[in-house]
Amino acid sequence: MMLDVILENVPWLYDLSITGLGFSIVAGLTAALLSIGVLAINVIGRRWLTASQMAFLWGLVILRMLIPAAPESPLSVQNVFVRAESWLTSSSQQESATASVVEPASSDHADMWDAEAPAVAPASPPDSTTSSNADPEMWLPLIWQMGALVILISTLVRHVLFSRRVAKTEVCHDPRLLGLLEDSVSMSGMRRTPRLLLFDGVSQPAVMGIFRPRLLLPPDIADLGDSQLRMIMLHELMHLKRFDTAKAWGQLLVRAAQWWNPFYWLASMRYLNLREQACDAAVLKRLSNAHDDRNAVAKAYSELLLALSSRGEQGGWRVMLPASLLSFTSGRLQKRAIANRLRAVRQDVRPQHRQQLAIVVVTISTVACAGFTDAMTPPSKDVASPPGPQALALKAGESYGPPPRKPVGDWTQQRYDITRAVRRVASLEGIPSDEAAEKCWTLLHHVGSFSVDRMKSVSPTRCWRKPTPKPNDARSTHVEGEPEEPGTAILIVSSDGENWHLDLSAPQGTHDLIQCHLRAWERSGLKQVSIETRVIWSNRDVVARARMQWDSLLRVATTTPEAIPTENLNRADGESVSASAVSSVQEQIPVLVSQLTADESRQFVEAAQSHERADIIFAPKVTLFNGQQGTISTAVYRPFVTGVTFDENEAQRPQVDEIEEGLQIELDSVCNSDGTAVDLSSRFTFRDISDVHTFTTKLRHQKVHLQLPRVTECRINVAATIPDDGSLLIGLPPAYERTQYTYVMLTPRILTEEMLRDSSADAD
């Protein structure tokens, strides 16, 4: 319920959390691989790498966790993910190919659904009691965002309270401590002297502040000797010189973004420990140069660390930002950190030779190049033929594309009475019947020409006689003065003085198209309808984002497996067996439909455009005459080698199937009698090649490579009466392999004479 409230009232907050979590995951996974490499370098090269150099490497790991994208490079650690994905894909394909060899009939060929639409009701306001059953994963972005805010706000609040207490503390005026501080500043090489405060809010020495640094000492620290105080001040000044207080603020941002990442906590712990060891090494170097006895200085420094580690700590004011001598760690981690520091202090530091320094520079440069670049984007390519003899044949100039147009149905001849259609057109447009018949003939010729290869037609003005086609031989009908061509459709419009007739000799599919147009013209004349189509893909429910609600859920009926055809299984010479097989997978999906007003359509489009992860396609407007059919398609035809034959020389010849992929929308529009609404019948076909498996076997002692595409096909039929200012919205929610919502919005508009005149004037 809470998630629904957030999605409805503050959707931008959820979008922001999704974007932030996505960036955090990408940067965190890249830094995780980088941390594994840096950890290996630390283990292998800890004897010749200084603490400062190792801390720098871990600092690169932490910095990478704030960078979600970087320039591409073949050296990037992200290439590990790319190669792993490629290996897993190839293993999956090999397993599928093996399974296909054992049981080829079980391979998936097509997932098909047919959905029929009930009556579509007008849109209704959302029901406040309806609650979406959100997946648990939808809470992850909000959980990540809440964790980040808790870390940031709690740390800032504690730091503000701590800073207020520090601000109320007076600056120390002890001449002894100030003199030791001046000596320490001189030995450290710093130009500015921080303010010295005796502050009872800390039990360990610490520094804080970026622009106005302050050195915080417990009040009882003055009991230590001058040499110990000098060591303490030098160590804290090293933190200021290394800008550790400024780096702590950056590390706070990384912690807020990567609090879920265990590799961050590993990198942070290693960086803090090595940072302290680097400051220890800097203190020992400066004191050794002054006293020329490193062993004595190291022993005194070790005793100081042990003495400070035994001091109690006030739990109420443990903050994360000030850098301190003991790094404000506690418990077992503090004991282990001090043990490592004591071990590092006792070790004899040897200067690095030029060869070692060169290796260090190359190592750090390699780590930076591998960690601060992204994997190379593989070039996009269509599905290609696998290597083998058939690939050579495919390159020889095979052409692919939509199948050629073929007549549908048996060839028949019939006479139609079109008097009502002609008179309806003449009445609505105020023109004589002869002119109306000429207009009807022009459109009928246009419609028929798109359904057959060849068509001959005669207009009413050219028709010199009443046609008398032979009833027993439709294809023999021809127009006088024109040569007869086999398979040519004949369309003749004529009049006997009172009535108008259409004589048509064509395939049955052409007859069906012509009849649809005639019925539409009898109803509402030769009107034109312009249809706007928008296709939207989104990972969020745009309808919920627009505060709308679906009206109807289509009844879904899955298709049954097709019967295996047994006819036309003619065996070729030399073949003893022929076979045919069909594969089918049944799945249930919901299809949602709403009828929108003009305001609701605008509200839906604005909600989709405001979502940065939504893809919107505005298809070109389709203008159809009343009763005309139109098709909008984004489909492409992809060739696949699904079989192979052999010629007389035993050379392989590929059998190529062209698989259509994409969205196809078929539209039938008929205006009602008063011209205020459109009866829109739409057929949607979604085809997607979800996977392609490569199958390799031996046939006639030759290796054969075949491609087995898995095609998902969804067919939806929707019919609705849409007012002239309304829209029809169809939605497919995520299901199975589909991870996004798919929406199609159709907006028909009846074009008036005024609109057509304005359009013609704009074109001129």
Side-chain angles (χ1 to χ4, degrees):
M1 185 65 183
M2 182 182 299
L3 184 59
D4 293 337
V5 173
I6 295 176
L7 294 178
E8 292 180 4
N9 297 291
V10 283
W12 60 267
L13 181 62
Y14 190 79
D15 294 340
L16 181 63
S17 62
I18 289 179
T19 304
L21 179 58
F23 288 162
S24 175
I25 291 175
V26 172
L29 292 179
T30 305
L33 286 177
L34 187 63
S35 66
I36 295 175
V38 171
L39 185 62
I41 293 173
N42 278 192
V43 173
I44 297 173
R46 58 186 175 185
R47 293 187 177 181
W48 47 272
L49 281 172
T50 65
S52 180
Q53 292 166 350
M54 289 190 291
F56 183 79
L57 289 175
W58 285 108
L60 292 179
V61 174
I62 296 175
L63 180 60
R64 186 61 176 91
M65 293 183 180
L66 276 181
I67 304 176
E72 296 180 356
S73 168
L75 298 178
S76 174
V77 293
Q78 290 185 0
N79 289 307
V80 174
F81 293 120
V82 176
R83 293 178 182 176
E85 181 181 5
S86 175
W87 180 80
L88 291 175
T89 303
S90 114
S91 300
S92 175
Q93 290 179 353
Q94 290 177 2
E95 292 175 1
S96 300
T98 305
S100 299
V101 174
V102 177
E103 192 178 359
S106 64
S107 61
D108 295 335
H109 175 71
D111 304 335
M112 187 176 299
W113 306 273
D114 288 324
E116 299 178 0
V120 180
S124 57
D127 186 2
S128 60
T129 62
T130 302
S131 175
S132 63
N133 295 324
D135 294 334
E137 292 134 3
M138 295 186 66
W139 283 97
L140 293 180
L142 295 177
I143 294 174
W144 170 83
Q145 191 176 50
M146 286 188 291
L149 291 176
V150 167
I151 290 175
L152 286 174
I153 294 175
S154 62
T155 303
L156 291 176
V157 168
R158 286 191 291 173
H159 180 70
V160 169
L161 296 177
F162 186 84
S163 300
R164 287 182 178 179
R165 289 195 62 189
V166 172
K168 296 178 181 179
T169 305
E170 296 183 358
V171 178
C172 177
H173 299 289
D174 189 340
R176 171 172 170 257
L177 296 178
L178 293 177
L180 291 172
L181 179 59
E182 291 294 337
D183 293 343
S184 300
V185 170
S186 177
M187 294 180 63
S188 66
M190 292 185 61
R191 297 181 179 179
R192 295 177 57 188
T193 301
R195 292 188 295 173
L196 179 62
L197 284 77
L198 295 178
F199 181 54
D200 59 358
V202 294
S203 59
Q204 302 288 347
V207 288
M208 66 177 299
I210 300 176
F211 304 105
R212 294 185 301 172
R214 284 157 289 185
L215 174 57
L216 309 179
L217 298 177
D220 57 351
I221 200 72
D223 298 340
L224 299 177
D226 290 352
S227 60
Q228 292 178 320
L229 287 173
R230 186 177 289 108
M231 292 179 184
I232 291 174
M233 293 180 180
L234 271 176
H235 181 97
E236 302 306 325
L237 292 175
M238 287 299 104
H239 281 299
L240 293 177
K241 189 173 183 179
R242 293 165 53 91
F243 302 101
D244 286 339
T245 52
K247 295 175 185 176
W249 286 101
Q251 194 170 351
L252 173 63
L253 297 178
V254 180
R255 180 180 301 177
Q258 300 289 335
W259 59 266
W260 55 271
N261 190 349
F263 287 93
Y264 162 74
W265 298 103
L266 170 65
S268 178
M269 181 183 66
R270 292 295 302 160
Y271 173 76
L272 293 178
N273 291 339
L274 290 170
R275 182 188 71 179
E276 298 302 322
Q277 293 181 25
C279 291
D280 293 341
V283 172
L284 292 176
K285 181 179 179 181
R286 284 163 173 75
L287 292 178
S288 299
N289 292 337
H291 297 84
D292 296 329
D293 189 357
R294 187 186 186 283
N295 292 333
V297 173
K299 181 179 179 181
Y301 196 81
S302 300
E303 293 175 352
L304 175 63
L305 289 177
L306 291 173
L308 290 177
S309 64
S310 62
R311 296 169 63 93
E313 185 175 355
Q314 298 178 6
W317 293 106
R318 288 184 62 245
V319 296
M320 303 177 187
L321 294 178
S324 68
L325 184 63
L326 295 182
S327 189
F328 283 99
T329 56
S330 60
R332 183 175 300 178
L333 292 178
Q334 185 187 58
K335 294 179 181 179
R336 184 174 179 180
I338 292 186
N340 291 334
R341 292 173 64 180
L342 292 174
R343 191 180 303 111
V345 167
R346 291 195 301 267
Q347 288 179 354
D348 187 14
V349 180
R350 298 178 181 178
Q352 291 180 329
H353 300 292
R354 292 184 178 179
Q355 295 82 355
Q356 292 178 333
L357 189 58
I359 294 175
V360 171
V361 173
V362 171
T363 301
I364 294 177
S365 301
T366 303
V367 170
C369 183
F372 287 82
T373 55
D374 290 347
M376 299 292 294
T377 302
S380 59
K381 54 184 179 180
D382 294 335
V383 180
S385 303
Q390 65 268 34
L392 299 177
L394 289 175
K395 295 179 182 178
E398 295 279 357
S399 60
Y400 305 104
R405 183 174 52 203
K406 296 181 180 180
V408 179
D410 297 332
W411 204 286
T412 60
Q413 176 177 308
Q414 191 171 349
R415 164 169 283 200
Y416 300 96
D417 185 355
I418 62 172
T419 305
R420 293 181 59 187
V422 172
R423 290 177 178 175
R424 180 65 169 168
V425 172
S427 173
L428 291 177
E429 299 190 11
I431 57 178
S433 296
D434 292 348
E435 186 176 345
E438 187 75 22
K439 279 191 171 186
C440 292
W441 169 82
T442 302
L443 291 178
L444 291 174
H445 174 78
H446 176 76
V447 171
S449 299
F450 274 92
S451 61
V452 294
D453 294 330
R454 293 181 299 275
M455 169 168 279
K456 299 294 183 180
S457 62
V458 178
S459 68
T461 57
R462 292 181 55 199
C463 186
W464 59 276
R465 64 179 176 85
K466 178 180 178 180
T468 55
K470 300 178 182 180
N472 296 329
D473 187 6
R475 299 196 184 198
S476 66
T477 305
H478 65 279
V479 180
E480 183 173 327
E482 299 180 359
E484 179 180 354
E485 300 181 32
T488 301
I490 305 296
L491 186 151
I492 302 175
V493 175
S494 61
S495 174
D496 57 6
E498 294 183 2
N499 299 319
W500 292 91
H501 304 281
L502 167 67
D503 291 279
L504 179 63
S505 176
Q508 185 60 44
T510 305
H511 283 271
D512 296 339
L513 287 175
I514 297 280
Q515 291 180 53
C516 290
H517 284 72
L518 293 176
R519 286 193 296 267
W521 297 347
E522 290 176 5
R523 183 181 182 185
S524 51
L526 300 180
K527 294 184 180 296
Q528 297 186 48
V529 179
S530 176
I531 303 177
E532 296 180 357
T533 305
R534 297 177 176 88
V535 184
I536 301 171
W537 292 273
S538 174
N539 62 344
R540 288 271 312 282
D541 188 354
V542 181
V543 171
R545 185 185 182 90
R547 300 185 180 183
M548 299 164 55
Q549 188 176 356
W550 292 106
D551 301 333
S552 304
L553 174 65
L554 299 189
R555 179 178 62 86
V556 179
T558 57
T559 60
T560 56
E562 301 179 15
I564 297 179
T566 57
E567 67 276 4
N568 301 325
L569 294 181
N570 299 321
R571 294 190 293 271
D573 295 338
E575 293 184 349
S576 59
V577 178
S578 61
S580 178
V582 174
S583 174
S584 179
V585 175
Q586 302 182 25
E587 294 177 350
Q588 299 283 341
I589 62 168
V591 180
L592 304 167
V593 179
S594 281
Q595 186 172 322
L596 309 180
T597 64
D599 292 338
E600 290 172 336
S601 301
R602 183 167 51 256
Q603 182 180 352
F604 175 80
V605 173
E606 291 176 353
Q609 291 175 337
S610 64
H611 184 32
E612 59 182 8
R613 294 181 179 270
D615 296 327
I616 306 175
I617 295 179
F618 291 84
K621 289 184 179 180
V622 177
T623 302
L624 304 174
F625 279 97
N626 193 18
Q628 187 178 5
Q629 297 180 352
T631 300
I632 301 172
S633 177
T634 63
V636 295
Y637 289 83
R638 302 188 183 277
F640 295 94
V641 179
T642 57
V644 64
T645 60
F646 296 86
D647 59 15
E648 62 276 3
N649 298 323
E650 292 297 317
Q652 297 184 23
R653 299 295 298 173
Q655 293 178 329
V656 179
D657 284 343
E658 298 172 10
I659 308 298
E660 184 179 359
E661 181 180 25
L663 169 63
Q664 179 173 303
I665 307 174
E666 300 175 68
L667 302 170
D668 293 340
S669 61
V670 177
C671 300
N672 63 356
S673 56
D674 57 1
T676 59
V678 176
D679 293 338
L680 186 65
S681 298
S682 52
R683 293 171 294 279
F684 303 89
T685 303
F686 298 86
R687 294 187 184 92
D688 178 51
I689 301 176
S690 57
D691 196 6
V692 179
H693 295 292
T694 302
F695 170 64
T696 304
T697 187
K698 279 193 174 182
L699 187 62
R700 295 188 182 183
H701 306 289
Q702 298 184 36
K703 183 175 290 188
V704 176
H705 304 273
L706 302 179
Q707 294 172 309
L708 307 176
R710 185 186 183 196
V711 183
T712 303
E713 180 173 309
C714 175
R715 296 177 181 175
I716 305 169
N717 299 328
V718 180
T721 300
I722 306 175
D724 192 35
D725 60 346
S727 299
L728 181 66
L729 180 64
I730 298 96
L732 272 72
Y736 305 103
E737 291 85 1
R738 295 191 314 276
T739 59
Q740 290 186 317
Y741 290 86
T742 303
Y743 304 94
V744 180
M745 189 170 73
L746 303 175
T747 306
R749 293 288 182 269
I750 300 176
L751 301 181
T752 62
E753 293 295 334
E754 183 180 355
M755 293 180 183
L756 294 175
R757 286 195 300 269
D758 294 342
S759 177
S760 300
D762 293 340
D764 295 339

